[in-house]
Amino acid sequence: LVRIAIKSRQLPYSCPIFAGYFPGILEKIYCSIITIGDELLIGQTLDTNSAWMARELNRKGIPLRRRVAVGDEPDAITAALDEERRYSDVLLLTGGLGPTSDDITKEVLCKYFGTRLIVNEGLRQKLIRLFESRGLPLLESNLQQAEVPESCIIIPNEQGTAPGMWFERDGKVFVSMPGVPLEMEAMMTSVVLPRLTERFHTPEIIHRTLITSGMGESFVAKRLEDFEKQLPDAVRLAYLPSYGYLKLRLTGFSGGDISMKELVSHHFSMLEQQLGDILVASEDISISAVAGKLLAENRRTLAVAESCTGGCIANMLTQVPGSSAYFKGAIVAYDNEVKFKVLGVDRSMVMARGVVSEETVKQMAAGARELLQTDYALASSGIMGPGGASEQKPVGTTWIAIADGQELITRKFQFRFNREHNIRSASIQAILLLIERMRHPAESSNRK
Amino acid sequence: LVRIAIKSRQLPYSCPIFAGYFPGILEKIYCSIITIGDELLIGQTLDTNSAWMARELNRKGIPLRRRVAVGDEPDAITAALDEERRYSDVLLLTGGLGPTSDDITKEVLCKYFGTRLIVNEGLRQKLIRLFESRGLPLLESNLQQAEVPESCIIIPNEQGTAPGMWFERDGKVFVSMPGVPLEMEAMMTSVVLPRLTERFHTPEIIHRTLITSGMGESFVAKRLEDFEKQLPDAVRLAYLPSYGYLKLRLTGFSGGDISMKELVSHHFSMLEQQLGDILVASEDISISAVAGKLLAENRRTLAVAESCTGGCIANMLTQVPGSSAYFKGAIVAYDNEVKFKVLGVDRSMVMARGVVSEETVKQMAAGARELLQTDYALASSGIMGPGGASEQKPVGTTWIAIADGQELITRKFQFRFNREHNIRSASIQAILLLIERMRHPAESSNRK
């Protein structure tokens, strides 16, 4: 799905995005991620750790070659270690460090590196203090977390009890971290990534990302054909599509001898110019954060009236830290009586035109803006499925509106996903309409 | 993290949950998932496909041995095929079937199986009709999706344009599906899973799941020590912890000669009895769906007043199809003025006690119940971070309340996650409080 502008496909087998840059100048290292846990093999847990690690490695210019998930079995873990060390220089392991009997990563690593477990007195004291402060009984299984392999470097766990471990052998690095996301992320950020970039002299990486909406990936790619052709070898373009919008990322790899930052900036400006009509933002932040920045910069406030999106628009907006500065609130008017009573939507109009209609979202937006006394108000009404459809209004039929005191702009959509993604897509489109209205107040008009 | 009650660890290296059952009676097969796409290696995409497939395979009793993610590189895909066929009988591939130049899975499979691409006339006609009906130009790259390897069995794609492919060699099955979740899920459900259970005579699997809350995993495990000991070999217990609740699943594997359903039911009843005081539900559905069922069964209605959760409670509740039958709506009162004006919260009380206080959530819940005329109303107010904390009220301090016309019950929490998970945890606790209040109306009382 990610299209990469690579001039020649004659690259060594490797992560294609980073492969083959400045051969000879920089050390080229590869990484594998091994996630350990039965919960990954029965679908209990979504592997968010690997995605987070992949993103951070990519930002630091460390190419990820493979991601592997195995169960809590010694042989499975050992086989994965043997295999991935053939592919990669750095093996990052998560999971299997907890206090229960199925957490066996530490023992497996001890055996793998021919070392033994010893009690670390500092860790033991920390555990005793922690359990005392929480007023919990300290079980034998908890105290075992103070035991660490003798030959490893300990990575402190500021967020929990299981320490991380850094092993080296034959020039290869093996890092074992807990599977708890916050603990793993803290270790990666404060210790593992800085140590890796230092240890392997990774390249300087410059990323610049912009967000577009309103044009499909293949049409954007067609427009950028010439742009891609003139890109220097050291700068790559990636297409990162999502529901309702498309991110484009320029990446520059520097050997230290050229001013990569300026080079990427130059091409990024060209990209911004070519995509000016569909540009949503020139940085890599969420759509909600884009809307939030615009609202905050212009000292504008926002209210939301949600029917079909059921709170999702408000939820997305309030995920952004500091959103209370511009987001006043939402009326989730799921029941029609709430639309009539709280938002002041006209009952007879709804009876005549239906609740999923242009006039309904107009009145909802106007009502929310009036009630919450804001500059802007968004509204949604639609049929998210699986039930509720009629012949005229199939599942996915959705109306969105924005009120700003001057005009009431509406959009109609026909989503084709399941309930969850219909709700999400409608919410994203509502926030995109707000961004468009703030960016180009003169150009917005009703589209169906 | 998933603790499995296995009496003997002397199992062959395999997925530990299913390994070693009824040797000789049933064919024992293993599966590997290979996900293909550079987007997985740069952290652009969260691999939800693998988790979904793992869950469905598990339900059908097909043990998953490994999950591997590789980039859009022929050698990487070929190496993964060679490797995983050593581990597994069934290799399920997703991704790399799109129309762009980096989608190379089909060509790689052609080469791997020594076959060639031929145009499938039925697929070609379907593509032409589809693009006509959508009024889109049909590019050469789109028409190539009608080409399929000569030696494979085609799996129709009801949701999109790229067909799935089923290969067999040396008794092993290789299935290639698109990476688009809806397309993959439809193929798995309608073709792949039924064919696999038929082809490999997989065992009859009975799962029974219950949900508990209010007690940590290790304490539940301690209580269930004797229960686990008396479990027959053919029945397994798994602990599936989540934010704020814990799922316990009994799984029975039948060789066809015993009434597995009755056996699992018997032990499930014992489990329900032993956990009666912390039982939330006796089926595997979301917390929102549990609350929804209770509301619908008792013909009760619900409103929500959200401050810190910012719409997340409403969003979770309305993810459930049919929620409009009992959920009337929500007031997301992010700004204090909305609390005063719309919910009727007393301004001077907030000035005196602070907005994150027991009295505030009580008044919010009462106000929402009154305004939306419902049987129950939930309310939330807290500090989700990273900003907004004080010495008395650190990040994570959260009050939850429920109003039911008789009493106002409140709970105080101290969450220790990041903003996103604090919001999510607070929302889950609010819904759990509603369930508790409906289940045990006499026993609820304020807890801090």
Side-chain angles (χ1 to χ4, degrees), chain B residues 203-349:
Chain B
E204 185 195 356
I205 300 284
I206 309 285
H207 288 303
R208 295 291 303 274
T209 301
L210 58 77
I211 308 172
T212 68
S213 84
M215 187 182 280
E217 183 188 359
S218 53
F219 294 93
V220 175
K222 201 148 198 175
R223 191 195 280 189
L224 294 180
E225 262 175 14
D226 290 338
F227 172 81
E228 290 197 18
K229 272 182 200 142
Q230 59 78 46
L231 271 183
D233 274 343
V235 180
R236 304 277 163 83
L237 175 66
Y239 291 74
L240 313 169
S242 192
Y243 285 98
Y245 56 92
L246 172 68
K247 288 188 179 181
L248 292 166
R249 191 178 59 187
L250 277 186
T251 302
F253 310 88
S254 170
D257 52 347
I258 46 167
S259 176
M260 181 48 68
K261 207 169 171 181
E262 275 174 40
L263 189 65
V264 172
S265 278
H266 168 71
H267 290 283
F268 191 74
S269 300
M270 288 172 64
L271 201 58
E272 281 179 303
Q273 270 178 18
Q274 290 212 24
L275 302 174
D277 55 328
I278 53 169
L279 193 67
V280 171
S282 289
E283 57 186 326
D284 193 8
I285 56 179
S286 70
I287 292 291
S288 309
V290 174
K293 277 188 86 162
L294 283 169
L295 287 165
E297 281 167 15
N298 296 298
R299 297 177 181 278
R300 293 286 186 274
T301 55
L302 175 66
V304 180
E306 306 194 46
S307 182
C308 66
T309 49
C312 185
I313 301 175
N315 186 23
M316 286 172 70
L317 290 165
T318 56
Q319 294 287 338
V320 181
S323 44
S324 58
Y326 49 81
F327 178 68
K328 286 210 169 181
I331 308 298
V332 181
Y334 222 55
D335 191 88
N336 283 347
E337 289 301 321
V338 182
K339 295 183 184 80
F340 306 146
K341 192 177 154 189
V342 181
L343 292 172
V345 172
D346 180 27
R347 186 185 295 263
S348 56
M349 181 280 296

Side-chain angles (χ1 to χ4, degrees), chain B residues 17-36:
Chain B
I17 300 161
F18 294 95
Y21 52 86
F22 307 114
I25 299 178
L26 290 162
E27 228 178 309
K28 194 164 55 186
I29 64 158
Y30 296 107
C31 182
S32 283
I33 293 173
I34 303 174
T35 43
I36 299 164

Side-chain angles (χ1 to χ4, degrees), chain A residues 307-360:
Chain A
S307 182
C308 66
T309 48
C312 185
I313 301 175
N315 187 21
M316 287 172 69
L317 290 165
T318 55
Q319 294 287 339
V320 181
S323 44
S324 57
Y326 49 82
F327 178 68
K328 285 209 172 182
I331 308 298
V332 181
Y334 222 54
D335 190 87
N336 283 347
E337 288 302 320
V338 182
K339 295 185 185 80
F340 306 146
K341 191 176 155 189
V342 182
L343 292 173
V345 172
D346 180 27
R347 186 184 296 263
S348 57
M349 180 281 296
V350 168
M351 297 303 141
R353 307 202 188 177
V355 69
V356 179
S357 67
E358 182 170 23
E359 192 54 32
T360 300

